[in-house]
Amino acid sequence: MATVGFDSVIFGVQPGDTGTFKELVADKSAGGAIEAKITGLGSTSNTTFASNVPFFIASKGVSAPKVTLDVADLMDGGIYQEVIGAETVDGVNVIGAETEAPYVSLVMITSNKEGKRLFMGMTKGKFSHPDIDMKTGEDKGVELQPDSIEGDFISDSRGYVFMTAVESETMTLAKFKSLVNNTVGK
């Protein structure tokens, strides 16, 4: 799957018992999508040996899907609070013993080699708090230290983990998001 660039990432924060679905976007206007790496989509293969040779390969499903996202600034647009599960207490973002990240879906937008928008989606996962890296400015100027977060993903109620599609007349971004979030016809 050849990709060109990385336009944006859309976080779909799944509602808890009493919450409502929220959509948060990291793009050129806020947050700034830098890089995404998806791993663990390939299944774990187990080979059965019989009659002194490899006889059968069992290979089904996915192994342990993970997404690593580099975003210019998670604080933009409330992404940090919603995706990581940080609480705001007296105007301060707090991470503590009771912090629990919500389930989120992801829609990542890039382009294919023909220049058409390529959508990739992860249906259900949780992100952990990013490591923090601070550096002093040097004689070459100040450099932004982007945020890198990693999420573990599982299958949704349909058994789906990953989806991808190229934008067309029949496959719009709105339709793709509804497929990823399992809200088609709802």
Side-chain angles (χ1 to χ4, degrees):
M1 208 174 313
T3 63
V4 179
F6 185 27
D7 183 60
S8 58
V9 60
I10 302 166
F11 297 89
V13 181
Q14 304 297 325
D17 293 336
T18 59
T20 58
F21 180 82
K22 292 183 182 177
E23 192 173 278
L24 303 159
V25 180
D27 62 8
K28 61 185 171 190
S29 65
I34 296 174
E35 185 175 357
K37 183 175 183 177
I38 303 169
T39 60
L41 291 177
S43 62
T44 301
S45 296
N46 292 306
T47 303
T48 301
F49 288 80
S51 299
N52 298 319
V53 297
F55 183 77
F56 176 77
I57 299 173
S59 181
K60 185 176 181 180
V62 296
S63 58
K66 288 188 181 295
V67 174
T68 303
L69 283 173
D70 290 343
V71 177
D73 189 359
L74 280 175
M75 298 295 276
D76 278 357
I79 296 171
Y80 177 78
Q81 294 88 340
E82 294 292 337
V83 172
I84 303 301
E87 288 184 63
T88 303
V89 178
D90 295 327
V92 176
N93 293 315
V94 178
I95 299 293
E98 298 299 317
T99 302
E100 183 176 353
Y103 280 110
V104 298
S105 64
L106 286 182
V107 171
M108 295 156 281
I109 303 171
T110 182
S111 296
N112 66 12
K113 66 186 185 315
E114 288 81 24
K116 293 186 178 191
R117 289 201 310 175
L118 175 63
F119 308 134
M120 294 185 198
M122 301 294 290
T123 60
K124 185 177 183 181
K126 288 189 178 192
F127 281 95
S128 58
H129 195 283
D131 292 337
I132 299 169
D133 188 17
M134 294 177 269
K135 294 181 183 177
T136 189
E138 299 175 0
D139 62 353
K140 60 184 176 182
V142 177
E143 292 182 33
L144 180 67
Q145 300 299 316
D147 296 318
S148 182
I149 57 174
E150 186 172 87
D152 295 303
F153 284 78
I154 59 175
S155 60
D156 66 3
S157 62
R158 302 166 291 180
Y160 299 165
V161 175
F162 174 78
M163 297 179 174
T164 188
V166 175
E167 185 173 45
S168 67
E169 287 182 21
T170 58
M171 181 52 64
T172 63
L173 177 56
K175 182 176 180 180
F176 187 77
K177 287 190 302 187
S178 68
L179 288 167
V180 169
N181 292 306
N182 196 16
T183 58
V184 176
K186 292 183 181 178

